[in-house]
Amino acid sequence: IYADPAKRLELYFRPKDPYCHPVCANRFPTSTMLLKVKRRTKKKKQLDAEEQIQPEVQFEMEILGTVTTVYKFQGRMSDFQYLAMHSGPDGKQTSMYDKVLMLKPEKEEFFNRELPLYIPPPIFSRLDTPIDYFYRPDIQHREGYNNPQVSGENLIGLSRARRPHNAIFVNFDDEEIPAKPLDAAVQTWKKVCTNPVDKKAEEELRKLFEVRPVWSRNAVKANISVHPDKLKLLLPYLAYYMLTGPWRSLWVRFGYDPRKHPEAKIYQVLDFRIRCGMKYGYAPNDMPVKAKRSTYNYSLPITVKKPGVHTVSMHDLKQGLGTSSASGAKKPASSRYKLKESIYIFREGALPPYRQMFYQLCDLNVESLQKIIHRNDGTESECTERDGWCLPKTSDDLRDTMSLMIKQIIRSTRPALFSSTTSSEDGKEQLAYESAEDEDDEEEEEEDFKPSDGSENEMETEILDYV
């Protein structure tokens, strides 16, 4: 038996066999009681010889406590096993455990022995329950029927063409930008826009694009209240999506080309990630901002995640279960789907909500950062795919400055992490030194930069909503 309190319980039929497939149980929260039941039997006196003796059964119950966690074995493939066996010419099975398992340090002769070919499986079955794939039956044709020749263009492969969608995607290298939406996008939105709330959201989004021609989806969500499913249909109706370049992962108003307007540099995107590590003074676990995703919390396909339930304590059983206080009132419709401003605005003295953020330069509300952005106002000559209308290394300078600001915030909230620094002046020198190290690291990363690939980040997964 192997139990991980945070995830699941595993039962092994052969615990010492590494090729034994375990039976897995998922962990569920519960609010049940543990009962102790006693069954007592008393015989009645026999009144008549012909009458049968009927025993009298009594049950005694006692509550011992509450159970907050249970493990349920929902898999039905317990007999799905791998055996390290070899079949000989005579059909006899020979065990290979002593030949393939290295239980102790072995000499060179152990690795040079002639053995039958045995390739251990890379993984066991990913599912514990059998499933039906529901394959379509083969079509029975008449005699003499020949399958038509199929060209390679219609075969599904790695370079499959995109499915029809309503959003228009534009790359930085494209010569022209769209001036109006696709007809399918117009028809879809007109079909969905059937109530005053949707029409109000359309008007509000139009005003946003009039004030500012380039928006991120998070910024839109923080300024208007619209259902996420409706927003997926509304954005392609009013704007096109940039795939690569300094405005990648942003929505741009139809007819507006930021590559031809130097003032559009304030709408460029900055991919900012909070730096952590020993040379920055704090480890990832010490950072106040928690990671949104983690490779250590990988959920297996057999793992079931369900919302937790209210557990019952012994005190509740004694006092009685009463209804909780009235829950908070629902948000009004005008702000039901709105996000907080911190989701797209960076302010001095405040930590970002996530370790990786995507800011537009105009949303960096810090004077020192704006000075870096506007260093070349009036002298912009060329719009490049990496830096846009800004000076080279502008993004690196912004990241360095923002990293220093965040480190000072963490220093004030958790001074114990920086106890090694003796004075503020030494701390400033240390910060400046670390900033120089960052520049060297990022210069090395420049060799691997591929502008056409864009940024492989969470924000660009927005494209999956339209493909």
Side-chain angles (χ1 to χ4, degrees):
I1 300 177
Y2 169 75
D4 185 350
K7 294 183 180 178
R8 56 179 185 163
L9 177 71
E10 296 178 351
L11 295 182
Y12 289 85
F13 183 70
R14 302 185 305 278
K16 296 182 180 179
D17 186 356
Y19 301 112
C20 176
H21 183 265
V23 184
C24 302
N26 294 306
R27 183 173 184 242
F28 293 88
T30 185
S31 57
T32 57
M33 296 178 292
L34 179 62
L35 300 179
K36 180 180 180 182
V37 182
K38 292 183 180 181
R39 185 177 184 269
R40 298 183 181 275
T41 305
K42 293 182 180 181
K43 293 183 179 180
K44 292 182 178 180
K45 294 181 180 181
Q46 188 173 2
L47 301 177
D48 191 351
E50 296 181 357
E51 294 182 359
Q52 296 181 356
I53 301 175
Q54 296 181 356
E56 181 181 354
V57 180
Q58 295 180 350
F59 292 94
E60 297 180 359
M61 292 184 295
E62 179 184 359
I63 299 177
L64 300 181
T66 60
V67 179
T68 59
T69 302
V70 294
Y71 289 89
K72 295 182 180 180
F73 291 89
Q74 299 172 320
R76 300 193 301 271
M77 297 176 66
S78 58
D79 57 344
F80 189 73
Q81 304 289 329
Y82 286 102
L83 298 176
M85 308 293 290
H86 174 67
S87 299
D90 55 352
K92 184 179 180 180
Q93 300 288 341
T94 305
S95 175
M96 296 181 61
Y97 285 98
D98 57 339
K99 300 179 179 62
V100 298
L101 292 181
M102 191 173 64
L103 303 178
K104 61 180 180 179
E106 299 287 351
K107 297 182 181 180
E108 185 178 359
E109 292 79 9
F110 177 84
F111 303 96
N112 294 333
R113 289 185 301 174
E114 292 291 336
L115 295 176
L117 179 62
Y118 174 73
I119 302 176
I123 59 173
F124 293 105
S125 176
R126 297 183 70 247
L127 301 175
D128 277 353
T129 56
I131 59 174
D132 194 342
Y133 287 100
F134 295 103
Y135 289 119
R136 287 182 296 180
D138 294 335
I139 301 176
Q140 301 294 332
H141 296 286
R142 293 176 297 180
E143 294 184 5
Y145 177 83
N146 295 324
N147 291 324
Q149 295 183 355
V150 180
S151 63
E153 297 177 356
N154 297 327
L155 297 178
I156 298 177
L158 297 178
S159 58
R160 183 181 65 181
R162 286 177 177 155
R163 299 185 184 96
H165 50 72
N166 297 334
I168 301 178
F169 301 105
V170 176
N171 290 295
F172 183 82
D173 296 331
D174 294 345
E175 295 182 359
E176 298 182 356
I177 54 99
K180 62 179 182 178
L182 298 176
D183 294 338
V186 177
Q187 295 175 2
T188 303
W189 176 247
K190 294 299 183 183
K191 186 185 301 182
V192 173
C193 182
T194 57
N195 55 66
V197 177
D198 297 333
K199 295 180 179 179
K200 180 181 179 182
E202 178 184 345
E203 295 176 0
E204 291 179 348
L205 188 56
R206 284 186 184 276
K207 292 179 180 179
L208 289 181
F209 277 110
E210 291 175 1
V211 175
R212 178 163 139 185
V214 185
W215 287 87
S216 67
R217 185 162 70 166
N218 280 342
V220 171
K221 289 181 178 180
N223 283 273
I224 65 174
S225 177
V226 58
H227 192 281
D229 293 339
K230 294 289 184 68
L231 185 61
K232 292 178 184 179
L233 305 177
L234 179 57
L235 281 171
Y237 177 63
L238 299 177
Y240 64 91
Y241 189 87
M242 290 290 290
L243 288 174
T244 58
W247 297 276
R248 62 185 178 275
S249 71
L250 301 178
W251 291 90
V252 185
R253 184 183 67 205
F254 283 118
Y256 183 81
D257 191 351
R259 300 169 299 180
K260 298 180 180 180
H261 301 275
E263 62 272 12
K265 70 177 179 181
I266 62 174
Y267 307 127
Q268 295 175 194
V269 69
L270 175 68
D271 183 354
F272 175 71
R273 309 177 189 191
I274 300 179
R275 299 166 180 170
C276 60
M278 297 309 297
K279 71 175 184 178
Y280 301 111
Y282 49 91
N285 294 333
D286 299 326
M287 191 187 306
V289 182
K290 299 300 180 182
K292 192 174 184 180
R293 293 182 177 90
S294 175
T295 55
Y296 298 103
N297 296 330
Y298 172 72
S299 297
L300 294 174
I302 58 176
T303 304
V304 178
K305 290 185 177 180
K306 290 188 175 181
V309 297
H310 174 66
T311 57
V312 182
S313 63
M314 289 298 295
H315 178 75
D316 296 332
L317 294 175
K318 294 178 181 179
Q319 299 296 330
L321 298 177
T323 57
S324 59
S325 58
S327 58
K330 294 183 179 180
K331 291 184 177 180
S334 59
S335 60
R336 183 178 303 170
Y337 304 108
K338 273 191 177 182
L339 300 179
K340 296 181 179 179
E341 284 190 348
S342 59
I343 201 68
Y344 78 102
I345 295 180
F346 180 82
R347 301 184 187 278
E348 189 171 5
L351 288 173
Y354 305 116
R355 294 185 182 181
Q356 183 181 11
M357 296 294 297
F358 305 93
Y359 296 108
Q360 290 182 256
L361 300 187
C362 59
D363 294 325
L364 302 177
N365 288 359
V366 181
E367 185 178 357
S368 58
L369 299 178
Q370 291 300 320
K371 288 182 179 179
I372 297 175
I373 298 170
H374 295 281
R375 287 181 297 188
N376 64 332
D377 281 358
T379 60
E380 299 93 341
S381 57
E382 182 184 5
C383 180
T384 62
E385 186 170 357
R386 180 181 178 88
D387 300 301
W389 292 105
C390 296
L391 291 175
K393 299 289 184 180
T394 297
S395 298
D396 298 336
D397 295 339
L398 292 173
R399 293 189 186 101
D400 291 340
T401 306
M402 295 168 67
S403 297
L404 295 179
M405 297 171 61
I406 289 177
K407 183 170 183 178
Q408 292 173 0
I409 297 174
I410 299 178
R411 179 194 296 271
S412 61
T413 56
R414 297 191 178 184
L417 299 177
F418 303 87
S419 58
S420 58
T421 56
T422 56
S423 64
S424 59
E425 295 180 359
D426 295 340
K428 292 180 180 179
E429 294 176 0
Q430 183 181 3
L431 293 178
Y433 172 74
E434 291 169 354
S435 176
E437 286 184 347
D438 299 339
E439 292 177 0
D440 295 338
D441 294 342
E442 292 174 1
E443 286 178 4
E444 294 176 359
E445 294 175 358
E446 270 190 28
E447 299 176 359
D448 301 330
F449 174 72
K450 299 177 182 180
S452 299
D453 293 343
S455 175
E456 294 181 0
N457 52 48
E458 177 191 351
M459 198 169 183
E460 279 199 1
T461 58
E462 180 182 356
I463 190 176
L464 298 178
D465 294 336
Y466 303 95
V467 176

